[in-house]
Short mmCIF file of all heavy atoms in Angstrom, two decimals:
data_model
loop_
_atom_site.label_atom_id
_atom_site.label_comp_id
_atom_site.label_asym_id
_atom_site.label_seq_id
_atom_site.Cartn_x
_atom_site.Cartn_y
_atom_site.Cartn_z
N GLY V 1 -38.53 -151.71 231.70
CA GLY V 1 -37.31 -151.25 231.07
C GLY V 1 -36.15 -151.18 232.05
O GLY V 1 -35.01 -151.54 231.70
N GLU V 2 -36.45 -150.70 233.24
CA GLU V 2 -35.42 -150.62 234.31
C GLU V 2 -34.90 -152.03 234.63
O GLU V 2 -33.68 -152.23 234.78
CB GLU V 2 -36.09 -149.98 235.52
CG GLU V 2 -35.28 -149.72 236.71
CD GLU V 2 -36.13 -149.05 237.79
OE1 GLU V 2 -37.03 -149.73 238.39
OE2 GLU V 2 -35.91 -147.86 238.07
N THR V 3 -35.82 -152.98 234.73
CA THR V 3 -35.43 -154.39 235.04
C THR V 3 -34.55 -154.93 233.94
O THR V 3 -33.51 -155.54 234.23
CB THR V 3 -36.69 -155.24 235.21
OG1 THR V 3 -37.47 -154.71 236.29
CG2 THR V 3 -36.36 -156.70 235.47
N GLU V 4 -34.93 -154.70 232.72
CA GLU V 4 -34.12 -155.20 231.59
C GLU V 4 -32.73 -154.58 231.59
O GLU V 4 -31.70 -155.26 231.38
CB GLU V 4 -34.84 -154.89 230.29
CG GLU V 4 -34.16 -155.45 229.06
CD GLU V 4 -34.91 -155.17 227.78
OE1 GLU V 4 -36.12 -154.84 227.83
OE2 GLU V 4 -34.25 -155.24 226.72
N LEU V 5 -32.67 -153.26 231.83
CA LEU V 5 -31.38 -152.59 231.89
C LEU V 5 -30.50 -153.11 233.01
O LEU V 5 -29.32 -153.42 232.79
CB LEU V 5 -31.60 -151.07 232.05
CG LEU V 5 -30.32 -150.24 232.14
CD1 LEU V 5 -29.50 -150.33 230.86
CD2 LEU V 5 -30.67 -148.80 232.46
N PHE V 6 -31.04 -153.22 234.23
CA PHE V 6 -30.27 -153.70 235.36
C PHE V 6 -29.75 -155.10 235.09
O PHE V 6 -28.64 -155.45 235.45
CB PHE V 6 -31.09 -153.69 236.64
CG PHE V 6 -31.37 -152.33 237.21
CD1 PHE V 6 -32.44 -152.16 238.07
CD2 PHE V 6 -30.59 -151.23 236.91
CE1 PHE V 6 -32.73 -150.91 238.60
CE2 PHE V 6 -30.85 -149.98 237.41
CZ PHE V 6 -31.93 -149.83 238.29
N ALA V 7 -30.58 -155.95 234.51
CA ALA V 7 -30.20 -157.34 234.23
C ALA V 7 -29.08 -157.44 233.20
O ALA V 7 -28.34 -158.40 233.17
CB ALA V 7 -31.41 -158.15 233.80
N SER V 8 -28.97 -156.43 232.33
CA SER V 8 -27.99 -156.47 231.26
C SER V 8 -26.60 -155.95 231.69
O SER V 8 -25.63 -156.08 230.95
CB SER V 8 -28.43 -155.67 230.06
OG SER V 8 -28.42 -154.29 230.31
N VAL V 9 -26.51 -155.39 232.89
CA VAL V 9 -25.29 -154.78 233.37
C VAL V 9 -24.59 -155.71 234.37
O VAL V 9 -25.22 -156.20 235.29
CB VAL V 9 -25.56 -153.40 234.04
CG1 VAL V 9 -24.32 -152.80 234.60
CG2 VAL V 9 -26.22 -152.47 233.03
N ASP V 10 -23.32 -155.92 234.20
CA ASP V 10 -22.53 -156.70 235.13
C ASP V 10 -21.53 -155.77 235.78
O ASP V 10 -20.45 -155.54 235.24
CB ASP V 10 -21.84 -157.84 234.41
CG ASP V 10 -21.12 -158.77 235.36
OD1 ASP V 10 -21.32 -158.70 236.57
OD2 ASP V 10 -20.29 -159.57 234.87
N ASN V 11 -21.93 -155.17 236.90
CA ASN V 11 -21.08 -154.18 237.56
C ASN V 11 -21.31 -154.32 239.05
O ASN V 11 -22.45 -154.39 239.51
CB ASN V 11 -21.50 -152.78 237.08
CG ASN V 11 -20.65 -151.69 237.67
OD1 ASN V 11 -20.59 -151.50 238.88
ND2 ASN V 11 -19.98 -150.95 236.82
N PRO V 12 -20.23 -154.33 239.85
CA PRO V 12 -20.43 -154.52 241.31
C PRO V 12 -21.17 -153.38 241.99
O PRO V 12 -21.66 -153.52 243.09
CB PRO V 12 -18.99 -154.63 241.85
CG PRO V 12 -18.12 -154.10 240.76
CD PRO V 12 -18.83 -154.28 239.47
N GLY V 13 -21.27 -152.21 241.29
CA GLY V 13 -21.99 -151.10 241.85
C GLY V 13 -23.51 -151.12 241.59
O GLY V 13 -24.24 -150.28 242.06
N ILE V 14 -23.96 -152.13 240.84
CA ILE V 14 -25.40 -152.25 240.53
C ILE V 14 -25.86 -153.63 241.02
O ILE V 14 -25.22 -154.64 240.80
CB ILE V 14 -25.62 -152.10 239.00
CG1 ILE V 14 -25.18 -150.73 238.56
CG2 ILE V 14 -27.09 -152.38 238.66
CD1 ILE V 14 -25.26 -150.49 237.08
N ARG V 15 -27.00 -153.64 241.69
CA ARG V 15 -27.54 -154.87 242.24
C ARG V 15 -27.72 -155.92 241.14
O ARG V 15 -28.24 -155.62 240.07
CB ARG V 15 -28.89 -154.65 242.88
CG ARG V 15 -28.86 -153.97 244.16
CD ARG V 15 -30.31 -153.71 244.59
NE ARG V 15 -30.30 -152.53 245.40
CZ ARG V 15 -30.31 -152.54 246.74
NH1 ARG V 15 -30.34 -153.67 247.36
NH2 ARG V 15 -30.27 -151.43 247.41
N THR V 16 -27.36 -157.13 241.45
CA THR V 16 -27.57 -158.25 240.56
C THR V 16 -29.06 -158.59 240.53
O THR V 16 -29.72 -158.68 241.54
CB THR V 16 -26.78 -159.47 241.05
OG1 THR V 16 -25.41 -159.11 241.18
CG2 THR V 16 -26.93 -160.65 240.09
N ILE V 17 -29.60 -158.77 239.32
CA ILE V 17 -30.98 -159.18 239.14
C ILE V 17 -30.95 -160.69 238.98
O ILE V 17 -30.22 -161.24 238.12
CB ILE V 17 -31.62 -158.51 237.90
CG1 ILE V 17 -31.60 -157.00 238.04
CG2 ILE V 17 -33.04 -159.04 237.68
CD1 ILE V 17 -32.38 -156.45 239.22
N TYR V 18 -31.77 -161.42 239.76
CA TYR V 18 -31.83 -162.87 239.69
C TYR V 18 -32.95 -163.35 238.76
O TYR V 18 -32.79 -164.34 238.09
CB TYR V 18 -32.02 -163.47 241.09
CG TYR V 18 -30.92 -163.16 242.05
CD1 TYR V 18 -31.22 -162.87 243.39
CD2 TYR V 18 -29.56 -163.19 241.70
CE1 TYR V 18 -30.20 -162.58 244.27
CE2 TYR V 18 -28.57 -162.91 242.60
CZ TYR V 18 -28.88 -162.62 243.90
OH TYR V 18 -27.90 -162.35 244.80
N ALA V 19 -34.09 -162.69 238.83
CA ALA V 19 -35.27 -163.15 238.05
C ALA V 19 -36.25 -162.01 237.91
O ALA V 19 -36.21 -161.04 238.66
CB ALA V 19 -35.93 -164.35 238.74
N ALA V 20 -37.13 -162.15 236.94
CA ALA V 20 -38.21 -161.16 236.74
C ALA V 20 -39.39 -161.87 236.09
O ALA V 20 -39.25 -162.92 235.47
CB ALA V 20 -37.72 -160.02 235.84
N GLY V 21 -40.54 -161.24 236.21
CA GLY V 21 -41.73 -161.85 235.59
C GLY V 21 -42.99 -161.12 236.02
O GLY V 21 -42.95 -159.99 236.49
N THR V 22 -44.11 -161.80 235.87
CA THR V 22 -45.41 -161.28 236.29
C THR V 22 -46.08 -162.29 237.19
O THR V 22 -45.83 -163.51 237.08
CB THR V 22 -46.33 -160.94 235.09
OG1 THR V 22 -46.50 -162.13 234.31
CG2 THR V 22 -45.74 -159.84 234.25
N ALA V 23 -46.89 -161.77 238.06
CA ALA V 23 -47.70 -162.59 238.97
C ALA V 23 -49.05 -161.89 239.03
O ALA V 23 -49.17 -160.87 239.69
CB ALA V 23 -47.06 -162.69 240.33
N GLY V 24 -50.06 -162.41 238.34
CA GLY V 24 -51.35 -161.73 238.27
C GLY V 24 -51.13 -160.38 237.60
O GLY V 24 -50.56 -160.31 236.52
N ASP V 25 -51.62 -159.30 238.22
CA ASP V 25 -51.47 -157.94 237.69
C ASP V 25 -50.13 -157.30 238.04
O ASP V 25 -49.87 -156.20 237.61
CB ASP V 25 -52.58 -157.04 238.23
CG ASP V 25 -53.94 -157.33 237.63
OD1 ASP V 25 -53.97 -157.97 236.55
OD2 ASP V 25 -54.94 -156.90 238.20
N TRP V 26 -49.33 -157.97 238.80
CA TRP V 26 -48.08 -157.40 239.25
C TRP V 26 -46.93 -157.80 238.32
O TRP V 26 -46.88 -158.90 237.81
CB TRP V 26 -47.73 -157.87 240.66
CG TRP V 26 -48.69 -157.52 241.71
CD1 TRP V 26 -49.57 -156.46 241.73
CD2 TRP V 26 -48.89 -158.20 242.95
NE1 TRP V 26 -50.27 -156.43 242.91
CE2 TRP V 26 -49.89 -157.50 243.66
CE3 TRP V 26 -48.32 -159.30 243.53
CZ2 TRP V 26 -50.32 -157.90 244.92
CZ3 TRP V 26 -48.76 -159.70 244.77
CH2 TRP V 26 -49.75 -158.99 245.47
N ALA V 27 -45.96 -156.90 238.16
CA ALA V 27 -44.66 -157.23 237.60
C ALA V 27 -43.72 -157.33 238.81
O ALA V 27 -43.89 -156.62 239.79
CB ALA V 27 -44.18 -156.17 236.63
N PHE V 28 -42.73 -158.19 238.72
CA PHE V 28 -41.80 -158.32 239.83
C PHE V 28 -40.38 -158.55 239.29
O PHE V 28 -40.18 -158.96 238.18
CB PHE V 28 -42.17 -159.43 240.78
CG PHE V 28 -41.96 -160.83 240.25
CD1 PHE V 28 -40.76 -161.48 240.50
CD2 PHE V 28 -42.93 -161.47 239.52
CE1 PHE V 28 -40.54 -162.76 240.01
CE2 PHE V 28 -42.73 -162.73 239.01
CZ PHE V 28 -41.54 -163.38 239.26
N ARG V 29 -39.43 -158.27 240.16
CA ARG V 29 -38.05 -158.67 239.92
C ARG V 29 -37.43 -159.04 241.26
O ARG V 29 -37.81 -158.48 242.31
CB ARG V 29 -37.25 -157.60 239.17
CG ARG V 29 -36.91 -156.39 239.95
CD ARG V 29 -35.95 -155.47 239.13
NE ARG V 29 -35.78 -154.21 239.78
CZ ARG V 29 -36.26 -153.05 239.36
NH1 ARG V 29 -37.01 -153.01 238.27
NH2 ARG V 29 -36.04 -151.93 240.01
N THR V 30 -36.52 -159.96 241.23
CA THR V 30 -35.78 -160.30 242.43
C THR V 30 -34.31 -159.97 242.17
O THR V 30 -33.84 -160.02 241.03
CB THR V 30 -35.90 -161.78 242.79
OG1 THR V 30 -35.32 -162.58 241.77
CG2 THR V 30 -37.37 -162.17 243.01
#
């Protein structure tokens, strides 16, 4: 949910999200 929220915001005060997904049992975001 945090990843989805961050990715939906375009604000210089919030880090830009480049990608997200899963790798095995892990979830990740860049």
